[in-house]
């Protein structure tokens, strides 16, 4: 399944890249892209685990950028 989400309050492009790299390592993620300027994340992931993957990305994002908010 491929979906786009709003990803607010990431402080810098480097933080966005760190979150993207960490999210790409999550089992079931086929492709993920975070655009810092537009504050959007595009995620292509396994349908069966999609909600679980979103929860894991939120958790990882908070460890890298505590103010980041993924609107899913």
């Amino acid at each position: 399944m491929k979906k786009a989400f709003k990803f607010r309050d990431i402080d810098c492009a480097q933080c966005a890249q760190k979150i993207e790299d960490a999210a790409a390592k999550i089992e079931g993620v086929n492709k993920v892209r975070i655009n810092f300027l537009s504050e959007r994340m595009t995620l292509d992931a396994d349908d069966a685990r999609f909600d679980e993957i979103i929860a894991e990305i939120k958790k990882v994002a908070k460890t890298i950028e505590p103010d980041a908010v993924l609107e899913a």
Side-chain angles (χ1 to χ4, degrees):
M1 176 186 303
K2 185 175 182 179
K3 288 182 97 175
F5 301 93
K6 186 79 172 164
F7 214 142
R8 298 183 298 107
D9 298 331
I10 299 175
D11 288 339
C12 66
Q14 185 177 13
C15 292
Q17 186 63 52
K18 287 180 182 179
I19 295 168
E20 183 179 301
D21 291 344
K25 294 177 183 175
I26 295 172
E27 186 179 332
V29 172
N30 300 322
K31 186 175 182 181
V32 62
R33 292 287 172 248
I34 298 175
N35 186 309
F36 170 70
L37 294 176
S38 67
E39 296 186 327
R40 298 198 39 93
M41 177 182 78
T42 305
L43 175 66
D44 181 7
D46 181 21
D47 291 350
R49 293 193 60 235
F50 203 82
D51 292 335
E52 186 179 334
I53 290 167
I54 292 294
E56 288 183 47
I57 292 173
K58 286 180 179 182
K59 190 176 178 182
V60 165
K62 288 293 182 186
T63 63
I64 295 168
E65 181 61 58
D67 295 332
V69 177
L70 176 58
E71 296 176 356

